[in-house]
Amino acid sequence: MENKEQTVEEEILINFEKKIENGDSIEPKDKMPDGYRRHLIRQISQHAHSEVIGMQPESNWITRAPTLRAKQILLAKIQDEGGHGLYLYGAAETLGISRSELIEQLHTGKAKYSNIFNYPVLTWADIGAIGWLVDGAAIVNQVSLQRTSYGPYSRAMVRICKEESFHQRQGYEIMAKMMAGTKEQQEMAQDAMNRWWWPSLMMFGPHDSSSPHSGNAFKWKIKRHSNDELRHKFIDKTVQQAQVIGLKIPDKDLKWNEKNGHYEHGAINWYEFHKVIAGNGPCNKQRMEHHIKVHNEGKWVREAAEAHRLKKERQN
Amino acid sequence: MTTDTQLELWEVFMQSKPGANYIHAGSVHASDKSMALQNARDTYSRRGEGTSIWVVPANAIVASNPDDNDLFFDPANDKVYRHPTFYVMPKDAKAI
């Protein structure tokens, strides 16, 4: 009988794909193909690392925020990013990888984080542009991922989306205020827009025609919308918001396509994208050195916490 | 001497308001129970999401095995007498 020759792996795959087809969510103890587990660990850990590394460019501006109100908001936003990193590390750990391994993969460069955080934050308007464009792009991606097939990842996304919309609004508010301000403030806002627009579009990844990881990601419902679909959704919403406050989109080829109801954007500089991914962006080295330094400096705190626990256990 | 670890894993359950069920919120790392509670508050309740938190060491949780689901969660549809609709009410009697 052919059936008897079916290997364990094949049986797992068949049952798993049946569940996926039914729209069931996959939970940590369910049997799943190795490829699914590997894909999720790579994607969720990259997502978690991005949240945590993303705290660095913004934290640099806490002491230089223009008002106490702005400072409080920025602190709350950065605290959220740390929390989002923790939700996602937790989701990744349910797949059988430890927190130490996840951090080690970040430090050795095996795991990536979003390219966008390798760009420098030069002015206060950049803080506006990051909240508005970078968090705006992240939200479009995360809303789509709320329906991803892996339960813990999906639940983390639901929680993150609830919190993230304040990030986008506070960024847009900064941009709107500057555009309603002096000529210098308007120029500063437009300059930030010019520098952050293209890297924000790159956040959605390569075009669908050249995306290396998409095949199984769609079949197994890890990904629910393609890179280009999400990018278009972001552009359509953001162009309108830019027009309202008088910011120009730095893309001379941007045009409205009446036929499909979307904006069409000019060519993205993929050379720059790959250069930054390969580690040669303006801040790659600085971001990683900072993370490693802080991790090492926190070692004694973790050791002290463990020693305190052991001491209390001995006393009981 | 202790070694550098990422501390123990704890699962967090939160009650959104008095009277509600405790629902799994996620997990945290902590060296002991008071740190676990503090980390759970900081991580999962920054916007008034809860009024009460339970933290449980992850290795203390016993979970059912999905492979046993058919047997373990057999709906017992043959035991129709478990449902109120199985019973015949006298004519004119009102439901309580």
Side-chain angles (χ1 to χ4, degrees):
Chain A
M1 291 289 284
E2 273 200 353
N3 249 356
K4 285 203 176 140
E5 284 169 20
Q6 195 180 69
T7 63
V8 180
E9 283 79 32
E10 282 167 347
E11 199 190 320
I12 289 173
L13 184 66
I14 288 167
N15 290 332
F16 169 83
E17 290 192 335
K18 218 180 280 169
K19 270 183 157 171
I20 294 281
E21 206 167 308
N22 281 339
D24 293 347
S25 98
I26 305 298
E27 292 297 331
K29 291 191 82 177
D30 291 342
K31 293 211 170 80
M32 59 185 91
D34 279 347
Y36 182 76
R37 191 183 296 276
R38 276 199 308 272
H39 188 112
L40 279 170
I41 289 176
R42 188 183 68 239
Q43 181 169 334
I44 301 174
S45 69
Q46 175 171 338
H47 203 154
H49 298 322
S50 301
E51 296 281 355
V52 172
I53 297 292
M55 296 166 80
Q56 286 185 40
E58 294 185 308
S59 63
N60 199 26
W61 280 87
I62 293 171
T63 54
R64 282 176 278 167
T67 63
L68 187 57
R69 177 182 182 270
K71 188 186 236 177
Q72 282 178 311
I73 292 171
L74 191 57
L75 274 168
K77 178 179 190 291
I78 296 169
Q79 192 193 9
D80 272 353
E81 312 291 8
H84 297 173
L86 292 177
Y87 304 162
L88 288 159
Y89 282 128
E93 285 169 76
T94 64
L95 291 157
I97 185 163
S98 73
R99 183 80 61 92
S100 306
E101 286 172 290
L102 290 167
I103 293 171
E104 195 193 316
Q105 289 186 352
L106 174 67
H107 288 173
T108 57
K110 190 182 175 219
K112 304 277 184 211
Y113 55 88
S114 179
N115 246 357
I116 196 86
F117 302 117
N118 291 319
Y119 290 86
V121 182
L122 304 178
T123 70
W124 177 251
D126 286 32
I127 293 292
I130 289 175
W132 177 42
L133 300 174
V134 175
D135 289 79
I139 290 170
V140 169
N141 186 36
Q142 286 165 345
V143 164
S144 165
L145 284 170
Q146 288 184 115
R147 288 178 50 240
T148 191
S149 58
Y150 188 56
Y153 192 25
S154 153
R155 293 192 284 273
M157 283 299 114
V158 170
R159 197 173 280 278
I160 287 174
C161 285
K162 270 190 202 155
E163 300 182 347
E164 193 94 23
S165 50
F166 122 65
H167 299 181
Q168 197 266 350
R169 286 209 188 179
Q170 65 85 35
Y172 188 47
E173 189 194 77
I174 291 173
M175 295 307 257
K177 268 191 187 166
M178 293 187 91
M179 289 309 287
T182 63
K183 192 165 169 289
E184 284 81 6
Q185 286 171 326
Q186 289 169 3
E187 282 170 5
M188 195 184 270
Q190 184 64 53
D191 170 60
M193 173 76 174
N194 295 348
R195 283 179 291 108
W196 288 93
W197 174 255
W198 290 103
S200 298
L201 296 194
M202 293 176 200
M203 282 175 70
F204 296 96
H207 288 304
D208 298 349
S209 49
S210 53
S211 185
H213 302 303
S214 288
N216 280 334
F218 276 108
K219 189 167 142 205
W220 293 338
K221 296 184 183 168
I222 296 173
K223 235 174 134 67
R224 306 307 303 258
H225 298 93
S226 77
N227 294 354
D228 285 330
E229 277 178 85
L230 295 170
R231 188 165 16 239
H232 276 128
K233 199 173 269 188
F234 169 73
I235 293 173
D236 292 348
K237 285 185 179 167
T238 310
V239 169
Q240 195 273 337
Q241 292 196 335
Q243 285 166 346
V244 169
I245 58 174
L247 276 169
K248 283 193 240 359
I249 306 286
D251 178 358
K252 59 179 172 35
D253 297 323
L254 186 83
K255 56 174 186 287
W256 177 251
N257 182 336
E258 261 181 36
K259 274 190 208 138
N260 63 15
H262 290 299
Y263 281 98
E264 276 170 16
H265 60 81
I268 292 173
N269 182 351
W270 294 113
Y271 169 74
E272 178 185 318
F273 175 78
H274 291 295
K275 190 182 86 178
V276 181
I277 283 193
N280 301 314
C283 302
N284 298 55
K285 200 164 165 273
Q286 179 189 341
R287 301 287 183 246
M288 201 42 56
E289 279 175 0
H290 182 77
H291 195 280
I292 292 170
K293 176 171 163 272
V294 172
H295 180 73
N296 291 338
E297 284 173 0
K299 188 173 179 230
W300 73 269
V301 180
R302 295 185 292 273
E303 287 175 351
E306 279 293 297
H308 178 68
R309 177 179 63 82
L310 288 171
K311 187 178 143 197
K312 280 211 306 203
E313 276 175 9
R314 275 196 301 271
Q315 282 167 354
N316 289 338
Chain B
M1 225 6 238
T2 52
T3 50
D4 184 17
T5 74
Q6 286 289 311
L7 313 180
E8 293 300 305
L9 185 66
W10 299 69
E11 297 300 333
V12 179
F13 299 83
M14 183 119 55
Q15 188 188 39
S16 60
K17 56 176 193 282
N21 288 318
Y22 284 75
I23 295 174
H24 184 239
S27 53
V28 292
H29 285 237
S31 61
D32 63 17
K33 52 192 176 186
S34 58
M35 189 195 280
L37 202 53
Q38 186 65 49
N39 288 354
R41 201 288 308 262
D42 291 348
T43 309
Y44 293 102
S45 182
R46 291 193 297 281
R47 289 173 175 79
E49 288 90 339
T51 52
S52 176
I53 296 174
W54 291 343
V55 287
V56 184
N59 60 19
I61 290 180
V62 184
S64 60
N65 182 348
D67 290 346
D68 303 334
N69 275 10
D70 287 350
L71 264 176
F72 204 70
F73 296 106
D74 175 45
N77 284 338
D78 52 331
K79 295 173 179 151
V80 283
Y81 45 84
R82 280 178 169 168
H83 299 281
T85 46
F86 175 74
Y87 300 92
V88 182
M89 292 279 279
K91 213 171 141 266
D92 302 333
K94 287 179 184 160
I96 57 162

